[in-house]
Every structure is written in structure tokens, then in C-alpha cells.
Amino acid sequence: MPLTPVSPHSAHLTFRALEPIHGMIYFTPHGPDSYRELGITDPRMMYFASRSAAFGPVTAEVTIATFFNFNPAAVRAVIPAAWEIVSPAEIFRARMRAVDRSLRQAWGDDLTSPEVREAAELARRAAERACERPQGRALFAAHAALPWPDEPHLVLWHAQTLLREFRGDGHVALLLTEGLDGIEALITHSATGEISPEVLRASRSWSEQDWADGMRRLRERGWLSGDGVALSEYGSQRRGVIESRTDELSVYPYEAIGEAGCTRLRALAAPLAIRVIEGDLGFPPTLSARYRQVVDRPVS
């Protein structure tokens, strides 16, 4: 099938429209339930082990390198200890059970609807094209080597997972080229106003002193202005470059379905994503509001 151009803006919108379908795995109560069945009770171990399981029983350093913005001490506290409790293959299967239970709860009888099937087919075509270009994208490549599920709802989730990690690895590369370390990347993200500093600091296990030190370094390099978390003109310009280039680097997979396919995929995904957001799957209210803001945008 011939490829058609896709704009970076369209790639951005398509990724965002489907992100709640993937993102629920980090909040759904079915995740911890599935991991506890294997003997994992530490929430941090659940997160780091389930997302890095695609690599196999890796060291903490691999997870630190590929996850990028988490406090390394938080990773080392649970990796590789997790692999002494459960194998990566077992935790991967538990993760997929949690996905299955969550989407069944959100979509009910529509789990195999024509809309889910069509969305899964479009997303898979994009994700399979991403698999043609794994170079330089380690976290994506690990997930790309996992087997595809059979059921349409799981195919859709797995496809968005691949597209997410493909985009994320490109984003990390750009953060590195700007000379940002993990906590500095979080600080500049929070300085855009998209998410609060407290949420990012706590969720990535950084101390208040770590955060203050990161802000000091950024001020010294001209990224921040004033005493609070506010981007300077220079910092705003550099952060804008990172975001626009992230969109540009994420275009490649979506060329498999073109602009028309992206528009159609967003139209199909919007009601499905809203049902996930509203499906009692544990999304924090602030994140639900952000997701709704994106999903409710016109699809064209």
C-alpha cells in the first residue's frame, strides 16, 4: 500500500487521542490486583517491573537509562529484586490480564464492535511501520519484540503502547541533545504549566532538595526566570523545539495510514477513550481533565 504524508500536528493529535487507552494501565486497580497475584506488593516494583519486563530480567541501569526521568535510587530499590519474585514473562502476562479486565470494564459489550476492530487495524498498521525503524529506540524495540495479542481490544492497546514508546524514545533523545538530565526535563515540563511540579516530583520519586538543585542548574544555564518554576524566553524557545521535533520524529509510523487514516482513527478512538476515562479505572481527576481536553477536540 502506498504511503502518504502526515503532518507532525496530525501525528501529535492522533497519539494524544489514543493515549488514554494505553495510559489507564498505570492507574487501573486491575494492575495491582494482577501483580499481587504473583507476589508483588510494592507499587514501585509493580510499575518498574511491568514496564521493563519487555527487556527480560535487566539490571536497574537499563531501566534507569530507558525510563530517563525517575530517581535512580527508586529504580535500584526494586530492580533487579523483582526478578527474584517473578519472571518478566509472568509479569508481562499479568499486565495483559489487567489490560483485558480494564477494557472489558470500560467497553463492555462493545469490546469486539466494528469500531474497536477498525481502530485496532488502523493503529496496528501504524505500529507495524514503526517496527521497521527500531534503531536508537531501545524501550520501543523491547516492546516491539513482544507477541501481538489476538483480540481486537488488546491489539489496539498494544499498538498504542508501541506508538507511545516509539514517540517517547525520540523525545528522550531530544532531551539529551538539549543537555537536560531526568529531573531537569521534568522541571522544564512543569514550567510549561501542563502539569504541576508537585505531581512530577512525587511521581518520579525526587526529593525537594533534588528539585531545588535542578532548578538552580537550569537558572544558571538560562532556562528558568524568577524564583518559581517559570521558563525564560530562552527556555521556552528550547522547550518548544523539543516538542515540535518530538512531533516530527513521531510522523514515520502514521505514514502507513496517511492523513485520512489518522483522522478516521481519531474519530474511532475518541468515544472509546472517553469511556476509558470515565470507566472508574483510577485516573486522577487532573489527568482525566487533561485527557478529556484532548479527546474532545475536533478530529479534523
Side-chain angles (χ1 to χ4, degrees):
M1 183 174 295
L3 302 177
T4 57
V6 171
S7 72
H9 180 64
S10 182
H12 173 91
L13 291 180
T14 306
F15 162 74
R16 293 296 180 193
L18 272 73
E19 182 54 11
I21 296 171
H22 166 85
M24 62 80 191
I25 192 57
Y26 304 114
F27 306 101
T28 174
H30 295 297
D33 288 348
S34 295
Y35 306 139
R36 279 193 290 265
E37 292 170 4
L38 301 176
I40 294 181
T41 58
D42 185 309
R44 289 290 177 188
M45 184 177 286
M46 292 176 184
Y47 174 78
F48 290 122
S50 64
R51 193 173 169 214
S52 63
F55 285 115
V58 293
T59 65
E61 311 321 302
V62 172
T63 302
I64 291 165
T66 53
F67 286 28
F68 188 69
N69 57 27
F70 288 84
N71 188 332
V75 180
R76 294 189 183 108
V78 296
I79 300 293
W83 316 132
E84 298 175 5
I85 301 171
V86 63
S87 71
E90 289 172 318
I91 200 164
F92 167 71
R93 289 192 291 270
R95 192 186 203 205
M96 294 306 294
R97 286 195 298 273
V99 172
D100 182 53
R101 294 167 184 170
S102 300
L103 294 182
R104 287 180 185 277
Q105 177 176 315
W107 296 342
D109 293 339
D110 294 327
L111 204 68
T112 58
S113 68
E115 290 78 12
V116 171
R117 291 180 180 277
E118 185 181 356
E121 191 274 334
L122 285 168
R124 180 168 184 166
R125 280 168 54 193
E128 287 181 334
R129 183 160 201 248
C131 293
E132 298 172 6
R133 190 175 285 182
Q135 294 87 346
R137 290 181 165 93
L139 190 53
F140 162 76
H143 285 83
L146 296 172
W148 279 91
D150 296 321
E151 297 87 349
H153 64 295
L154 298 181
V155 169
L156 180 56
W157 184 86
H158 184 59
Q160 177 61 8
T161 301
L162 295 182
L163 294 167
R164 181 188 201 264
E165 302 297 10
F166 184 93
R167 178 186 177 90
D169 283 345
H171 185 65
V172 166
L174 292 164
L175 294 170
L176 288 170
T177 62
E178 290 292 339
L180 297 173
D181 63 20
I183 196 169
E184 292 167 355
L186 292 175
I187 293 169
T188 59
H189 183 190
S190 69
T192 66
E194 185 176 338
I195 188 169
S196 76
E198 292 76 16
V199 168
L200 288 177
R201 183 184 64 77
S203 65
R204 270 64 174 180
S205 300
W206 294 102
S207 71
E208 292 183 5
Q209 187 59 55
D210 292 328
W211 194 267
D213 290 343
M215 290 181 62
R216 174 183 51 76
R217 294 194 300 271
L218 287 167
R219 285 198 189 94
E220 290 173 352
R221 304 207 305 272
W223 283 71
L224 298 181
S225 62
D227 295 330
V229 184
L231 291 172
S232 65
E233 182 178 350
Y234 171 79
S236 181
Q237 188 267 333
R238 296 319 303 165
R239 189 74 207 191
V241 169
I242 291 170
E243 297 304 326
S244 63
R245 287 289 290 142
T246 296
D247 290 340
E248 290 169 8
L249 291 179
S250 71
V251 162
Y252 182 80
Y254 298 103
E255 291 177 340
I257 59 176
E259 286 286 359
C262 286
T263 300
R264 177 60 177 163
L265 181 53
R266 294 196 297 272
L268 292 165
L272 296 172
I274 288 171
R275 289 173 67 178
V276 168
I277 295 166
E278 298 177 347
D280 196 23
L281 293 176
F283 284 116
T286 54
L287 184 59
S288 294
R290 282 170 52 209
Y291 277 153
R292 278 301 300 256
Q293 199 174 30
V294 172
V295 172
D296 286 341
R297 288 174 183 168
V299 298
S300 58

